[in-house]
Amino acid sequence: MDWGKRCMERESVATSLPDPERIGGFILQLKKLYRIDSFVLLSFSKFLIIQDLATMADEVILLDYWASPFGMRARIALREKGVKFECREENLRDKSPLLLQMNPVHKKIPVLIHNGKPVYEPADKIWSTTGEVQETAKKDFIEALKILEAELGDKPYFGGDNFGFVDIAMTGYYSWFEPFEKCANFSIESECPTLMASAKRCLQRESVVNSIPNPDELFALALKLRKEYGV
Ligand SMILES: N[C@@H](CCC(=O)N[C@@H](CS)C(=O)NCC(=O)O)C(=O)O
């Protein structure tokens, strides 16, 4: 709880989060609407790209929703990195054409738009596109992985000697590395050998083996979706 309070006191957090009472009211409203009892507020996304945006004096727009924990995470990360951005509130029951255009697959917020282009899900484009778009996605993906690799350094895990929270969050993505490589004909290992060594270490853990699908199943899913999208 002390740790939680310390987080909540940071300037970037205080300016990014709504009033807890407003959230409380919102939850009651949703409970009534959907008859749900609890919210899982923990997830992970690819916001390391924000690190790059901090050094660019460009237009950054965040498509957001005030009560979304995922949106809050994006707002905080942008402010922590000193990125100037315009926050556009979405109505999730009547999504804007911009949201549908920028995130056509998931149609969800948050979406980060840099100079008119979405930077939110470079990984998805690796398997769901071809040609130039796919080549750019591969380049962007490797760039993001290199930032992560630099952060990992020579540690066995992001958690140091221990398999930590970031490692757990990353392992879901690691499970997609092999299907990505097959779909887009490139080698993540040759670009990011240290990160890949850590990924293999993570993927061999018993808890992981029992929790993630086989890479062949993911590859089959990617191929099926590519067909559906007409790729
Ligand atoms: N995996 C995404 C989840 C984003 C998400 O679930 N966003 C919700 C708002 S909290 C949304 O846009 N929902 C609209 C919908 O599902 O149609 C992330 O981590 O950012």
Side-chain angles (χ1 to χ4, degrees):
M1 200 58 195
D2 271 356
W3 170 69
K5 281 187 186 155
R6 260 197 313 277
C7 292
M8 299 294 270
E9 277 162 16
R10 292 186 70 83
E11 196 190 328
S12 64
V13 176
T15 49
S16 298
L17 299 195
D19 180 343
E21 274 184 29
R22 193 169 170 214
I23 291 271
F26 174 71
I27 289 179
L28 289 180
Q29 212 183 329
L30 283 186
K31 278 174 97 163
K32 243 197 209 154
L33 250 173
Y34 299 116
R35 296 163 197 272
I36 43 179
D37 290 327
S38 63
F39 282 81
V40 177
L41 295 175
L42 213 59
S43 168
F44 182 78
S45 203
K46 306 166 212 106
F47 287 110
L48 275 159
I49 216 129
I50 285 171
Q51 191 128 7
D52 283 352
L53 294 178
T55 57
M56 302 171 187
D58 297 338
E59 184 197 54
V60 178
I61 297 171
L62 180 72
L63 302 184
D64 201 0
Y65 179 62
W66 69 273
S68 166
F70 313 109
M72 293 176 207
R73 186 175 48 194
R75 271 169 254 162
I76 294 167
L78 286 163
R79 290 190 172 116
E80 283 287 339
K81 292 289 170 193
V83 178
K84 290 207 167 45
F85 66 101
E86 179 195 338
C87 194
R88 289 201 196 158
E89 185 72 3
E90 282 286 331
N91 175 354
L92 296 181
R93 290 203 208 115
D94 180 18
K95 295 169 183 165
S96 74
L98 185 62
L99 172 56
L100 300 178
Q101 184 198 339
M102 292 291 151
N103 192 359
V105 178
H106 302 294
K107 305 178 178 69
K108 290 186 179 189
I109 61 93
V111 179
L112 203 51
I113 306 173
H114 174 238
N115 285 342
K117 286 194 193 145
V119 290
Y120 178 59
E121 293 284 0
D124 273 351
K125 286 202 188 133
I126 292 175
W127 62 264
S128 64
T129 62
T130 54
E132 219 173 285
V133 181
Q134 189 184 52
E135 287 309 310
T136 308
K138 279 197 281 188
K139 211 176 113 266
D140 292 349
F141 185 61
I142 292 293
E143 251 175 54
L145 293 186
K146 286 199 166 152
I147 296 172
L148 286 165
E149 190 172 57
E151 199 64 43
L152 176 69
D154 53 10
K155 302 190 290 289
Y157 295 108
F158 282 97
D161 288 330
N162 302 313
F163 181 66
F165 175 74
V166 175
D167 299 291
I168 295 175
M170 283 301 294
T171 300
Y173 295 112
Y174 295 152
S175 72
W176 271 92
F177 279 11
E178 194 180 310
F180 284 165
E181 289 178 327
K182 284 188 177 163
C183 284
N185 194 25
F186 73 128
S187 162
I188 297 173
E189 184 155 29
S190 64
E191 299 281 353
C192 302
T194 324
L195 181 72
M196 202 60 188
S198 179
K200 284 184 183 163
R201 216 169 279 129
C202 294
L203 289 168
Q204 279 162 8
R205 295 182 70 87
E206 199 187 333
S207 64
V208 172
V209 172
N210 290 328
S211 306
I212 64 166
N214 179 308
D216 291 341
E217 286 176 75
L218 294 175
F219 182 52
L221 173 69
L223 291 184
K224 184 172 156 261
L225 290 174
R226 275 166 78 100
K227 242 191 193 159
E228 277 177 29
Y229 298 155
V231 178

